[in-house]
Amino acid sequence: MAGAGIERVPFQGSPRPTIGVEWEIALVDKVTRDLSNTAAAVFDSVGDLRAHDGTPQVTKELLRNTVELVTGVHNTVGEAVDDLSGTMEAVRRAADPLGVDLFCAGTHPFAQWSAQQLTRSAHYDELIERTQWWGRQMMIWGVHVHVGVSHRDKVFPILNSMLLSYPHLLALSASSPMWAGSDTGYASNRTLMFQQLPTAGLPFQFENWTEFEHFVYDQMKTGVFEQLGGMHWDIRPAPKWGTIEVRVCDGISTRAELSALAAFIHCLIVDLDQRVENGEQLPTLPPWHAQENKWRAARYGLDAIVIVDAASNERLVTDDLMDLLNRLEPTAKRLGCADELRLVAEIPERGASYQRQRKVAAAAQGDLIAVVDSLVKELDK
């Protein structure tokens, strides 16, 4: 302890705006299309896969129906996605003889949470003991993107301003309209379920790193969490890695959309970083507007009318998105992801995953097995 009420949190700044991606993948039975609790067998078959920098490329998650694909540290989105693609093929080869396919969405259309088995670990056991019914309900999948930031003093100006783009990221990635066999009416039911955990949800908008250290001290002293990994914010600092971690997105259903949204996040953070370097005061939203935008994007997806500034002006999220993409083009060129960023504009044209799932369900007269079939096929696109 370095002072009363302060928990020093060293931030291992990244010398470059690197990128890393974590992609949660669900395991489904080839015949029934229900979730398959076979992650342990998949891990045994895959073995100890590691990236060029020693990062484990396949890791366990809370539920035994899930494998998480993890990249090493990369300079470009293209490198990160190639990394994931290689790991995906290894996992697929391991799953196939077990009668298991892979898919990704924010939720499974009809699986029941009570049938899912938990991964045993001290961390997960403590989580379930504390959260009980809500913790056992967490049959959800997402994508996490890390972007390197050089100094801790930049972290909260960037993180706070990223909340302006929160609804855009959520609307584009929304892929969880169904839960336990019912259409919830939401584009992203996962988002609202996940925030029920006591340490999840929108981040606090701290003025600086020292305020964050006071917060960490308070949380650890009162037992809210024992390590920073227990802070499950939608956007959070990852001090150990020197990154900002964006956890807004639902499980992303296709490789092309993963590339697009990773590029979008990379460009957003690097653009804000450069503006901080230039001495600009970054725009922010009042917490009540950020909260409302989160709900609107979860409910209405790409049809959401979002609040775009502190003066309470509103726009259709897709209209605001196009202006934002145009502004980020020079940043994308510098980062080598201009092609991937251009793919973002195709998502509203094609329909986001939540829209495609509903379309398949309607064509199949409510047969949700057809929805899982379509998600399995989409994963290679």
Side-chain angles (χ1 to χ4, degrees):
M1 187 64 59
I6 297 179
E7 180 79 24
R8 293 299 184 198
V9 183
F11 184 80
Q12 306 298 331
S14 174
R16 303 182 315 282
T18 52
I19 184 168
V21 182
E22 302 163 6
W23 196 7
E24 294 173 352
I25 302 295
L27 306 174
V28 294
D29 187 273
K30 286 179 179 287
V31 177
T32 67
R33 288 317 196 195
D34 203 348
L35 289 169
S36 175
N37 290 290
T38 50
V42 171
F43 288 125
D44 287 344
S45 180
V46 168
D48 186 20
L49 287 183
R50 291 185 179 268
H52 60 91
D53 57 6
T55 303
Q57 291 175 290
V58 182
T59 62
K60 297 177 181 179
E61 274 295 318
L62 173 64
L63 297 177
R64 294 178 66 179
N65 55 38
T66 302
V67 295
E68 184 178 53
L69 313 185
V70 181
T71 72
V73 178
H74 293 285
N75 293 313
T76 68
V77 170
E79 291 173 356
V81 173
D82 285 346
D83 187 341
L84 288 172
S85 297
T87 307
M88 175 82 75
E89 288 311 307
V91 171
R92 184 174 278 119
R93 286 194 301 270
D96 191 62
L98 300 171
V100 170
D101 278 329
L102 313 180
F103 96 106
C104 188
T107 56
H108 186 283
F110 62 83
Q112 300 295 318
W113 68 267
S114 56
Q116 310 313 313
Q117 297 174 13
L118 298 169
T119 300
R120 297 306 303 271
S121 75
H123 173 66
Y124 291 142
D125 289 352
E126 191 277 333
L127 174 67
I128 295 300
E129 170 59 29
R130 185 174 187 218
T131 60
Q132 292 295 307
W133 188 85
W134 275 113
R136 293 192 295 270
Q137 289 274 332
M138 292 295 132
M139 193 171 58
I140 55 178
W141 298 272
V143 169
H144 309 153
V145 178
H146 289 258
V147 177
V149 175
S150 63
H151 195 276
R152 70 178 201 174
D153 290 345
K154 294 180 179 179
V155 169
F156 279 98
I158 294 171
L159 187 154
N160 296 343
S161 199
M162 276 292 291
L163 292 173
L164 284 158
S165 304
Y166 187 116
H168 308 66
L169 290 167
L170 181 54
L172 289 162
S173 67
S175 61
S176 49
M178 299 161 195
W179 176 259
S182 298
D183 191 317
T184 65
Y186 282 78
S188 175
N189 190 51
R190 164 196 161 271
T191 297
L192 300 184
M193 289 196 63
F194 189 52
Q195 72 180 14
Q196 304 309 313
L197 295 182
T199 60
L202 290 166
F204 294 107
Q205 296 188 47
F206 294 120
E207 290 287 330
N208 53 53
W209 193 258
T210 301
E211 282 191 4
F212 174 63
E213 289 179 323
H214 281 285
F215 163 79
V216 171
Y217 170 81
D218 290 344
Q219 300 298 284
M220 289 188 169
K221 183 176 181 180
T222 57
V224 176
F225 54 72
E226 296 180 355
Q227 56 180 344
L228 285 178
M231 181 183 68
H232 298 108
W233 291 348
D234 299 333
I235 308 175
R236 67 182 183 182
K240 180 180 178 181
W241 310 117
T243 65
I244 291 175
E245 182 185 4
V246 178
R247 301 155 53 86
V248 172
C249 295
D250 268 8
I252 297 173
S253 302
T254 77
R255 193 167 0 203
E257 288 177 342
L258 182 77
S259 299
L261 290 166
F264 191 22
I265 292 168
H266 202 192
C267 291
L268 283 167
I269 290 178
V270 172
D271 172 69
L272 292 170
D273 189 311
Q274 186 60 58
R275 290 161 67 185
V276 172
E277 287 277 359
N278 294 341
E280 183 178 339
Q281 183 76 26
L282 297 181
T284 59
L285 277 179
W288 47 91
H289 283 349
Q291 181 174 304
E292 175 65 12
N293 275 349
K294 176 178 180 176
W295 183 85
R296 290 184 187 187
R299 170 65 179 88
Y300 300 109
L302 293 170
D303 293 320
I305 305 294
V306 298
I307 305 162
V308 296
D309 55 34
S312 304
N313 293 303
E314 297 172 288
R315 292 185 79 187
L316 178 65
V317 68
T318 47
D319 289 344
D320 198 61
L321 172 67
M322 295 310 159
D323 288 348
L324 186 52
L325 292 176
N326 288 334
R327 184 168 64 76
L328 291 174
E329 278 184 9
T331 302
K333 290 177 181 175
R334 290 201 310 274
L335 293 172
C337 62
D339 290 343
E340 289 91 344
L341 186 69
R342 278 192 286 271
L343 295 174
V344 175
E346 296 180 8
I347 296 175
E349 294 174 2
R350 183 174 56 252
S353 180
Y354 76 92
Q355 295 170 315
R356 301 194 302 269
Q357 289 180 50
R358 284 184 171 138
K359 186 176 180 180
V360 170
Q365 298 181 318
D367 179 8
L368 299 184
I369 288 177
V371 177
V372 180
D373 286 340
S374 70
L375 288 165
V376 169
K377 292 174 184 174
E378 279 196 348
L379 196 59
D380 287 324
K381 293 182 178 178

